[in-house]
Amino acid sequence: MDTYRPEEAWAFAQLDEFWERYRPLTPWGKDAAEARPFIADRAELERRYDDVEAALGFLADRAGDPSSLDRASYHLRRMPRLALEAKDSYELIELFQIKKFIANYRGARSVLGEPLALRFGMEGLADGSAAKALAAELDRGGSDPETFYLADCYDGGLAEARARVAAADAAIRSERVRAEAGARLDFGVGFDGREFLVLPKETTRAMMAAAGSRFSAEPFDDARYVVRVMPSDAALEAMSDRERALADERLAEERVIARISALAAAAMPELSAAVAATARWDLARAGAALAREFGMTRPRLDSGSLALERARFEPCAWECGRLGLGYTPLTAEFRSCATVLFGSNMGGKTVVLKTLLFFQLLAQAGLFVPADRFETRVYARVAYVGELTGERLAGLSGFGLELWRLMRARGEDDDMPAAEGADACGAALAQAGEPAPSGAALIAFDELARTTGSHEAEALLSAVVESYSGGPGSASSGNGDRAFFATHFRGVARLPGVEYRRMRGLDREAAAAAISSAGGAGIPGGGLEGRLAGINKHMRYEVVDDDGSGSESDALAIASLLGLDGRIVERARYYLTKDGL
Amino acid sequence: MLDRPEDFVGRVTFVTGPEKHCGKTTFMNRAAALARRGARESGRAAPALLTVGYDGEARDFLSGARKPAVPVEPGDLVVTTERFARPCSPEILDALPGSTALGRLCVARAGRPATVALVGPEGNSLVAWAVRRILDDGLADTVLVDGAINRVTQAASIDGARFVYAVRVDAAGLDRSVSRVRRMAALAGLPLASADAPAGGGEGACGSVAVSGALTAETAARLPPSAEEVVVDDFTKVFLSDAELAAFTRGRRLLVARRVEFGGFVVACRGLSDDAFLERLADDSIAAAVAFNPYEERPGRAA
């Protein structure tokens, strides 16, 4: 797995909230999820998809047996993190963790059944193996398969030392009970098991005068003393015996720990393999649970195009749900290396970019995707060029930040090695079914050059689009990148090899009717939320071809719907026509 | 009160206090003895004993300067490092996530009588994790936590949990101690905000304001004059002195989003009598929540 992390693309695609629904249960599964994997190895991705499919089959088979599913989760959830390196001596707590792991590993295998367990590499502990010998030894210590204790049976010396400790404890206790009874009988003072008592000065003086050797006293304040029961000679003797027995016990414990540690060290290769197999099953189960929750399907990684059918960008769907708005899944196919996507404000073109990255990142995390169909290929990188919510980059203007991101996406930044590979984009398309060239990137540009003047912005945008067109003049031809450009700028150059699309946008007839019914005062509904809901209702979130013939965006209509003064909207239309835009 | 087994059996009690050496651990030991007896008589599991972080006793124990402070009996549960638990011949039941400066922590069952040093997790979330683990797995239903007052927040998330407040009072610090007790009584008695109160940092209708984080003299001064009702997460977020709190609540209603059950005060008087403390406290309603030094034998107050 590559260590490359497409952090900005991840943030732009709003994956965090969705990622919280992906819930492996073991420590290693959680580690893997927290690492937000980005896998650029197609074989590894296909293997992971196969795993998810196998786990889906398990979940479907056991759908009528909830207790079985509960047990499957139960054992994974109880897996402890354990030391996997061979050591001369393990701590008691580490031996406990190994025992607990083995108990739950056996439980998990039992729930899965032998064929499925073996499919994930969860081998049983073989007869005669070091792991089996270790498990048998650990099973001797503890009242439960998941607890551990250095039991007397491990070592004759241990049992003998503990018997001496117990005898000493009994003697100490007996002496203490006797001393407390004497205090009550002689002085009416009840210690009741308390280590000390705070007693009045007079009582203390009487106790010390009559039986000073049985008690110790120290001042508490000017009227009271702290009084303790002094151990008797027999109790002192028992305490000494106890200390000697404890020393012998420690020696015996160290012998036992050394012996079990040697078994554990020998079993580490098998335990490591069991941990890896368990983590694999855990990730597959979590991926399958996610797939069931969201109706997700297996991505296809053999496509020269990028195609989505009823693709649900869940973070947006949730947000729409919270706002009471409708959400339209995306259906679209993009064949070229460069696609320019036009659309008005609120038309959904940024959401399309987010959707594309969301799907690609999920697919390259080894997970299914929430669409009826998603066809793509594997990219070495997924990049985003545009603004991110709440970001600050000291010392750089907005334009500088854009250019910095642009250069980084193109591998022209010092921190990012230049893209590798030499296959031309066209060749990559022709070789549908082959892995993407090493170094190929999927890049989303959201409103590139938004921070500069429109004339220069269109020129810059045109040049960048051209560089991804795969045509003879393209600077980056041959590296297999696929780029998407969402933009307002209608004047961007029309270039061969580039797809031009637009969001279908506002259903102006329906919107006009709404305006008309509201007396021309915009969509009724009270407040921004109601007006946004009205616009959403009449916005068509679909990607259609753009032949370049359209000129007017929906901005003025939207301004009108939002309630902007009608006279201003009319004057804007006048200027739009006057300038021939 | 706080001197019978039934005061502790079957519940989670956080033993807190305003400072070190205010008698928290000593009181917990007495509470554990009572709980142990009550659990045995009622056929319940022995108590679980925890602390938060590692205090002076643990450090002193490391240097050999002091003996470990918590006596345990067979069957008791403890949360500490395996090495510190070793004297009680522990059976390890679980390991806590992460580690402390003194080693990894475990939930262990004592196999024999011993005195052990308790070491607890530093973070609130791990304290709650350990308590939940003990309760949810049925390892024990009586839990005693020796912890600082700022850990009480965790008690709020555990059903039936409550806290007691241990205070050491001497003649020179009587007024200060009385002030602390009054302040804590006021905080523990803050009413619960209604479910529709504004969330942290928000402003609701009818002059209700939710304070996110600490309510200090400074944040109080920044509250809008129209805020008649102020909601804090829980009482541990209030950092106003007794006098400041009294002044604040004269002009506004202070509420908590989460209520933590209060078990009472444990007052250990030194250099003055219990009656002198009560006289200075001069509040019968608070006095009803006061228990005195459980290690002291007094005429008319049985052990």
Side-chain angles (χ1 to χ4, degrees):
Chain A
M1 190 185 301
D2 201 330
T3 54
Y4 162 69
R5 299 274 178 275
E7 302 289 354
E8 288 169 353
W10 183 284
F12 175 66
Q14 298 175 240
L15 258 164
D16 277 335
E17 189 180 358
F18 187 77
W19 201 249
E20 287 174 11
R21 311 294 277 266
Y22 175 49
R23 293 166 185 154
L25 301 172
T26 64
W28 318 284
K30 288 176 183 172
D31 287 349
E34 282 170 16
R36 298 171 171 181
F38 180 81
I39 303 164
D41 176 345
R42 181 175 164 193
E44 171 65 12
L45 288 170
E46 298 288 4
R47 184 189 69 73
R48 291 194 181 217
Y49 298 159
D50 290 344
D51 284 355
V52 172
E53 281 187 345
L56 278 168
F58 171 80
L59 296 181
D61 286 348
R62 305 295 175 93
D65 181 8
S67 71
S68 173
L69 292 175
D70 286 347
R71 278 189 296 131
S73 301
Y74 172 87
H75 288 299
L76 292 177
R77 195 173 284 119
R78 294 183 72 82
M79 297 271 185
R81 195 182 290 282
L82 61 159
L84 288 172
E85 66 273 23
K87 299 202 287 192
D88 291 337
S89 181
Y90 291 87
E91 292 178 27
L92 214 55
I93 205 165
E94 293 175 321
L95 297 176
F96 154 78
Q97 288 172 315
I98 292 171
K99 182 179 178 188
K100 187 172 181 179
F101 169 75
I102 291 174
N104 285 289
Y105 179 72
R106 284 168 159 162
R109 285 190 81 255
S110 164
V111 175
L112 289 186
E114 192 70 7
L116 189 59
L118 290 177
R119 189 218 168 280
F120 283 94
M122 295 172 70
E123 305 273 352
L125 305 185
D127 287 340
S129 69
K132 187 140 189 175
L134 171 66
E137 193 66 1
L138 291 173
D139 280 343
R140 296 171 67 200
S143 59
D144 180 285
E146 291 192 24
T147 67
F148 186 60
Y149 166 60
L150 288 179
D152 294 357
C153 62
Y154 281 125
D155 188 290
L158 199 53
E160 190 268 337
R162 285 178 177 167
R164 284 163 47 210
V165 172
D169 282 340
I172 293 165
R173 184 180 296 269
S174 166
E175 286 298 303
R176 173 77 191 195
V177 167
R178 200 166 63 82
E180 286 196 14
R184 183 174 288 280
L185 189 65
D186 298 341
F187 307 104
V189 169
F191 277 87
D192 192 32
R194 284 172 287 189
E195 182 194 351
F196 65 89
L197 281 180
V198 176
L199 295 174
K201 191 182 281 184
E202 299 73 28
T203 308
T204 307
R205 284 178 175 162
M207 291 171 75
M208 298 307 289
S213 63
R214 288 160 55 192
F215 306 100
S216 73
E218 58 185 287
F220 181 71
D221 57 22
D222 60 352
R224 289 168 289 188
Y225 277 78
V226 172
V227 179
R228 290 183 167 82
V229 173
M230 293 296 287
S232 65
D233 290 345
L236 282 173
E237 191 59 37
M239 287 173 184
S240 296
D241 289 347
R242 191 178 198 274
E243 288 302 312
R244 283 191 292 274
L246 286 175
D248 292 342
E249 181 192 39
R250 276 194 288 274
L251 290 173
E253 284 179 344
E254 292 311 312
R255 283 197 300 272
V256 174
I257 289 173
R259 196 173 71 240
I260 300 178
S261 292
L263 289 172
M268 272 307 145
E270 287 168 82
L271 291 177
S272 296
V275 164
T278 302
R280 182 177 166 188
W281 157 242
D282 184 28
L283 292 173
R285 188 210 56 82
L290 191 73
R292 280 166 66 97
E293 184 178 358
F294 292 100
M296 296 158 87
T297 57
R298 178 173 180 146
R300 288 190 56 180
L301 303 178
D302 56 357
S303 176
S305 64
L306 198 158
L308 309 96
E309 187 175 325
R310 292 193 52 76
R312 294 179 308 282
F313 176 44
E314 295 291 356
C316 183
W318 294 338
E319 181 68 17
C320 287
R322 283 192 286 266
L323 294 172
L325 306 177
Y327 170 75
T328 308
L330 176 65
T331 297
E333 181 165 1
F334 305 98
R335 295 188 178 82
S336 301
C337 291
T339 299
V340 177
L341 182 62
F342 300 110
S344 58
N345 290 331
M346 301 174 63
K349 57 186 183 304
T350 297
V351 172
V352 168
L353 293 190
K354 287 174 181 270
T355 306
L356 296 175
L357 296 198
F358 178 83
F359 273 70
Q360 190 68 35
L361 290 170
L362 271 183
Q364 293 204 230
L367 294 174
F368 285 15
V369 290
D372 290 356
R373 180 173 62 97
F374 177 55
E375 295 180 2
T376 184
R377 56 193 166 98
V378 178
Y379 293 91
R381 291 181 291 126
V382 174
Y384 165 68
V385 179
E387 281 184 4
L388 286 171
T389 307
E391 68 182 0
R392 293 283 185 275
L393 196 69
L396 285 178
S397 68
F399 186 57
L401 173 58
E402 279 193 282
L403 286 188
W404 175 70
R405 287 223 166 101
L406 169 63
M407 290 186 291
R408 213 163 51 136
R410 295 168 58 81
E412 295 170 3
D413 180 77
D414 288 345
D415 295 335
M416 176 68 72
E420 299 171 3
D423 290 347
C425 176
L429 293 176
Q431 294 172 0
E434 293 296 317
S438 173
L442 176 69
I443 311 173
F445 294 86
D446 191 26
E447 304 284 8
L448 184 67
R450 78 177 77 188
T451 52
T452 191
S454 61
H455 188 63
E456 284 181 310
E458 286 181 345
L460 179 61
L461 178 58
S462 297
V464 176
V465 169
E466 183 181 62
S467 75
Y468 286 97
S469 68
S474 65
S476 63
S477 69
N479 64 10
D481 290 348
R482 185 187 296 279
F484 291 87
F485 300 84
T487 184
H488 277 98
F489 299 130
R490 300 287 307 176
V492 65
R494 298 271 163 171
L495 301 163
V498 177
E499 287 180 59
Y500 294 88
R501 306 288 189 88
R502 65 176 172 85
M503 302 307 296
R504 186 177 295 279
L506 201 61
D507 182 338
R508 296 188 191 190
E509 281 187 18
I515 293 171
S516 172
S517 68
I523 286 188
L528 181 63
E529 201 167 290
R531 292 173 190 277
L532 291 175
I535 290 169
N536 174 267
K537 186 177 174 185
H538 302 299
M539 194 65 82
R540 301 294 174 251
Y541 297 103
E542 300 162 25
V543 176
V544 296
D545 288 337
D546 182 89
D547 60 7
S549 61
S551 60
E552 185 180 346
S553 77
D554 296 325
L556 298 184
I558 289 169
S560 180
L561 287 168
L562 286 173
L564 184 65
D565 186 334
R567 289 167 298 182
I568 292 178
V569 173
E570 281 310 308
R571 290 301 293 165
R573 287 216 168 88
Y574 162 76
Y575 284 114
L576 190 65
T577 310
K578 173 175 173 284
D579 291 345
L581 295 172
Chain B
M1 62 178 292
L2 298 176
D3 56 1
R4 300 166 304 163
E6 55 267 36
D7 290 329
F8 304 99
V9 171
R11 58 196 318 165
V12 178
T13 304
F14 282 68
V15 182
T16 71
E19 60 205 351
K20 281 190 178 298
H21 308 302
C22 62
K24 295 193 298 289
T25 307
T26 310
F27 175 75
M28 187 179 80
N29 288 344
R30 180 59 182 162
L34 294 169
R36 207 173 279 128
R37 184 185 305 163
R40 193 165 49 237
E41 288 169 356
S42 58
R44 291 170 180 253
L49 310 176
L50 292 78
T51 188
V52 178
Y54 51 98
D55 61 14
E57 281 82 4
R59 283 197 292 270
D60 291 348
F61 176 59
L62 281 181
S63 67
R66 276 176 92 155
K67 297 283 282 181
V70 177
V72 298
E73 292 290 329
D76 285 2
L77 297 188
V78 292
V79 173
T80 188
T81 66
E82 178 266 314
R83 190 162 66 86
F84 283 5
R86 196 71 78 84
C88 71
S89 196
E91 177 172 18
I92 299 179
L93 309 180
D94 208 347
L96 271 68
S99 185
T100 73
L102 296 173
R104 298 207 50 187
L105 302 179
C106 61
V107 181
R109 183 182 287 125
R112 68 176 172 222
T115 46
V116 301
L118 295 186
V119 178
E122 284 292 339
N124 278 347
S125 61
L126 275 184
V127 175
W129 186 96
V131 173
R132 287 192 182 286
R133 171 78 175 89
I134 289 165
L135 296 176
D136 294 349
D137 280 24
L139 302 175
D141 63 356
T142 302
V143 181
L144 293 161
V145 185
D146 175 1
I149 188 66
N150 61 357
R151 309 295 178 176
V152 168
T153 301
Q154 289 306 319
S157 66
I158 298 165
D159 285 344
R162 63 176 183 168
F163 76 100
V164 300
Y165 193 71
V167 190
R168 199 164 117 169
V169 182
D170 57 29
L174 175 60
D175 287 341
R176 182 161 166 256
S177 299
V178 164
S179 174
R180 275 179 167 162
V181 167
R182 282 191 186 134
R183 176 180 178 275
M184 183 52 61
L187 292 176
L190 288 175
L192 191 64
S194 62
D196 56 355
E203 192 166 350
C206 305
S208 182
V209 171
V211 175
S212 176
L215 177 64
T216 63
E218 290 73 25
T219 53
R222 287 202 297 270
L223 288 170
S226 59
E228 297 167 359
E229 199 170 76
V230 177
V231 182
V232 292
D233 289 344
D234 60 56
F235 79 82
T236 66
K237 305 297 187 297
V238 179
F239 291 83
L240 300 176
S241 68
D242 185 33
E244 288 169 339
L245 183 62
F248 185 87
T249 51
R250 271 196 294 276
R252 295 183 166 105
R253 196 153 174 258
L254 183 60
L255 303 100
V256 288
R258 284 184 303 171
R259 189 95 188 265
V260 190
E261 192 185 337
F262 182 52
F265 297 99
V266 181
V267 176
C269 292
R270 192 167 193 168
L272 76 162
S273 69
D274 298 347
D275 289 341
F277 171 79
L278 290 176
E279 192 175 325
R280 185 62 61 90
L281 183 63
D283 187 322
D284 288 345
S285 64
I286 301 176
V290 173
F292 288 100
N293 189 345
Y295 288 79
E296 183 164 1
E297 287 242 300
R298 314 169 183 79
R301 284 186 185 137

